[in-house]
């Protein structure tokens, strides 16, 4: 059963462009991680300054392996810029199990 991890991160308006740049410039290491299934960065449209980082994994063990690895540490190190500390105190990690899902029925 797949698991979903959603990291809800408050990013002040003045830092949102830089925050998105950091994701666009990421090395893509998570895509090579065994058990990784999906990634999305969701930008808030209205009513909040909270971004959602959505990842899907084949198991909790696959996620824990990524979380404990060097690629995770590198990707979450902040690169010394001012954004990581600004966002680090204002985030929440939510965990879910996929109970049911569907996709478009395409030939």
């Amino acid at each position: 059963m797949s698991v979903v991890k959603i990291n809800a991160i408050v990013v002040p308006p003045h830092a949102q462009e830089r925050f998105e740049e950091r994701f666009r410039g990421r090395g893509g290491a998570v895509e090579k991680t065994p058990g990784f299934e999906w990634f999305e960065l969701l930008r808030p449209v209205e009513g909040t300054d909270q971004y959602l980082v959505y990842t899907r994994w084949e198991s909790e063990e696959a996620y824990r392996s990524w979380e404990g690895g060097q690629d995770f540490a590198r990707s979450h190190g902040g690169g010394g810029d001012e954004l990581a500390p600004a966002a680090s105190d204002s985030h929440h990690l939510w965990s879910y199990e996929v109970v049911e899902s569907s996709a478009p029925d395409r030939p």
Side-chain angles (χ1 to χ4, degrees):
M1 175 180 314
S2 293
V3 296
V4 170
K5 301 296 181 173
I6 300 171
N7 197 354
I9 306 169
V10 173
V11 181
H14 73 275
Q16 290 178 351
E17 186 175 331
R18 177 69 181 122
F19 182 77
E20 291 179 23
E21 282 178 28
R22 286 190 59 211
F23 274 92
R24 277 191 295 277
R26 63 192 175 83
V30 71
E31 287 88 339
K32 299 173 189 146
T33 303
F36 170 79
E37 295 179 350
W38 200 262
F39 163 86
E40 291 179 317
L41 174 63
L42 306 176
R43 177 193 300 138
V45 175
E46 59 184 63
T48 185
D49 55 359
Q50 194 170 57
Y51 278 74
L52 300 180
V53 180
Y54 173 101
T55 58
R56 183 170 166 152
W57 302 86
E58 71 180 23
S59 66
E60 182 68 25
E61 293 75 25
Y63 172 76
R64 293 286 173 213
S65 180
W66 157 250
E67 184 182 47
Q70 291 179 347
D71 288 333
F72 178 90
R74 273 193 297 274
S75 68
H76 290 79
D81 69 32
E82 73 285 352
L83 181 59
S88 65
D89 292 334
S90 56
H91 75 96
H92 303 280
L93 181 63
W94 301 325
S95 299
Y96 295 88
E97 290 181 337
V98 176
V99 176
E100 185 176 340
S101 66
S102 63
D105 187 19
R106 296 188 178 138

